[in-house]
Amino acid sequence: MKLSRRNNWFSRNYSPLYSPLVSGWRYGFQVEAESLSRSNELDEMKEKLDSRKLVMGNMSMHSKVVKEKVKKQEEQLSNDIRSLLVAGTSLSGASKRLQDASRSFAGERGYGHLRTLQRVFRMRQQYMVSQVQLLYPVRIAIGQAPEQELEFFNNSSNSGNSAGSKPLDQGALTIAGLHLTVFTKMSFFTDKKEVQRSATALGYVAHVVALIASYLQVPLRYPLRLGGSRSYIRDYAPSIEPSSSDLTSSSSVSANSRPVEFPLFLEGQDSTRAAYAVFLLNKDLEQLLNYIGGRSLGPRHVLANLKELLRTILSPEYIDT
């Protein structure tokens, strides 16, 4: 009972003073809370601003780098344009020169004139070779059966024959009426006249080869030393060693410093050296055939290859090749 009275008294006497104080406390707390909130917002905005400043700085730096690259590319492009202008000028000049050359090439002294001169030159070659053919005609002797031209190469693994020869089906070939007969060696029973005729025939072939090579302006791989039926052919890299007589006659000169000569005749000579000489003569014929686009008929057919050489040169196709 006393406590209730006491509270009532406190309410009547102190309540008017206590209410404003409590309101002030509440207001101050609200102001401080709003200030703290705004301060936090300002800090966040400042962080965002700093972040944006950093991004802007990076973008500015990247922009400067890109600008420098663009500037360099512009300079390179400018240099390329100048180079293209110079190249265009050079190309224009070259095109003009090409047009002038084309007009000159197609003109009176151009390619047509060259072809005309070539035809005249080949016709002249044909005429000279035809004269050689008249001097040394290569014909087929039908109905005769002498030994055919040289087909024997002593100690050769490719020939398949140890001696002798065989006739061709179309008959024996002759040059100026002489047969090219095979002799493996000289003996008491050997027909000396036939040996001489074969040597003469080889001399004829050598002369024809030398003349045609000079007309075609072809340096022969195996040069000839003409002497009629005592002709020789030279080999700068012989596969057959010289005989003792050759070594005696040229003892002061090494075989490697000068060519070795092989006889195109059998009389008084080693048969192997004579056969090798005819083999080299046939290689010269093959060289001439290859030069004019012909085809060799075999490594042992001297007169047959010579006939093919004459036929190819004297054909109408030779002028237009």
Side-chain angles (χ1 to χ4, degrees):
M1 185 70 177
K2 291 180 179 180
L3 182 59
S4 63
R5 289 178 179 175
R6 217 179 264 178
N7 291 335
N8 291 330
W9 180 84
F10 180 80
S11 298
R12 286 193 305 268
N13 294 300
Y14 292 99
S15 178
L17 297 175
Y18 179 75
S19 297
L21 181 61
V22 172
S23 299
W25 287 350
R26 289 179 178 175
Y27 177 76
F29 180 77
Q30 292 176 353
V31 170
E32 184 177 0
E34 291 177 359
S35 176
L36 182 59
S37 176
R38 290 182 178 181
S39 177
N40 292 333
E41 291 178 357
L42 288 174
D43 291 339
E44 290 178 359
M45 294 176 64
K46 184 177 181 182
E47 290 178 358
K48 291 181 180 180
L49 181 61
D50 292 339
S51 177
R52 291 187 178 182
K53 285 182 178 180
L54 181 60
V55 172
M56 292 298 294
N58 294 334
M59 292 180 64
S60 177
M61 183 64 66
H62 180 69
S63 176
K64 290 181 180 179
V65 172
V66 172
K67 186 177 181 180
E68 291 178 358
K69 288 184 178 180
V70 171
K71 185 177 180 180
K72 290 181 180 180
Q73 290 179 354
E74 289 178 351
E75 293 176 355
Q76 182 65 35
L77 182 61
S78 178
N79 293 333
D80 292 342
I81 291 174
R82 285 194 294 269
S83 300
L84 286 174
L85 291 175
V86 173
T89 303
S90 301
L91 182 61
S92 177
S95 177
K96 185 177 182 302
R97 290 192 297 271
L98 180 61
Q99 292 177 358
D100 295 339
S102 298
R103 286 193 293 268
S104 176
F105 188 69
E108 181 180 352
R109 303 192 61 81
Y111 180 71
H113 181 66
L114 177 63
R115 289 292 297 175
T116 302
L117 290 179
Q118 186 179 30
R119 288 176 58 87
V120 172
F121 180 68
R122 288 182 177 266
M123 291 175 64
R124 181 63 177 174
Q125 287 178 335
Q126 278 192 338
Y127 173 76
M128 292 186 292
V129 171
S130 67
Q131 298 303 304
V132 173
Q133 187 185 40
L134 290 177
L135 292 175
Y136 302 108
V138 180
R139 296 191 177 95
I140 299 174
I142 304 296
Q144 300 183 17
E147 291 177 319
Q148 180 55 24
E149 63 179 56
L150 183 62
E151 292 185 300
F152 170 74
F153 182 71
N154 197 19
N155 296 328
S156 174
S157 60
N158 298 324
S159 63
N161 296 327
S162 59
S165 62
K166 57 182 179 180
L168 298 177
D169 295 337
Q170 71 268 24
L173 288 172
T174 62
I175 179 169
L178 297 177
H179 294 281
L180 186 55
T181 308
V182 178
F183 293 99
T184 59
K185 61 180 180 179
M186 289 288 291
S187 67
F188 179 78
F189 300 100
T190 303
D191 189 348
K192 303 300 188 296
K193 292 184 179 180
E194 190 67 25
V195 172
Q196 292 175 358
R197 284 194 291 268
S198 294
T200 303
L202 285 172
Y204 290 166
V205 175
H207 193 198
V208 173
V209 170
L211 289 174
I212 293 178
S214 65
Y215 298 158
L216 300 181
Q217 298 181 350
V218 176
L220 291 174
R221 173 65 180 83
Y222 304 103
L224 294 160
R225 183 164 70 87
L226 301 176
S229 61
R230 292 296 182 269
S231 298
Y232 290 84
I233 190 166
R234 298 171 181 175
D235 186 6
Y236 285 86
S239 58
I240 300 177
E241 293 296 331
S243 64
S244 58
S245 60
D246 293 328
L247 291 175
T248 302
S249 62
S250 59
S251 58
S252 61
V253 182
S254 172
N256 294 327
S257 62
R258 59 182 293 179
V260 177
E261 291 187 341
F262 294 91
L264 286 167
F265 55 93
L266 185 60
E267 186 176 1
Q269 301 293 329
D270 179 69
S271 59
T272 302
R273 292 173 57 80
Y276 185 65
V278 180
F279 172 78
L280 296 181
L281 180 62
N282 192 61
K283 298 302 289 184
D284 282 344
L285 284 168
E286 290 182 0
Q287 178 187 357
L288 295 175
L289 281 168
N290 293 334
Y291 179 78
I292 63 175
R295 185 175 60 88
S296 173
L297 302 178
R300 294 171 295 170
H301 299 288
V302 177
L303 291 182
N305 283 331
L306 178 58
K307 185 175 180 62
E308 177 66 15
L309 177 65
L310 294 171
R311 185 199 67 79
T312 304
I313 295 177
L314 297 177
S315 64
E317 293 80 9
Y318 177 76
I319 297 179
D320 297 325
T321 56

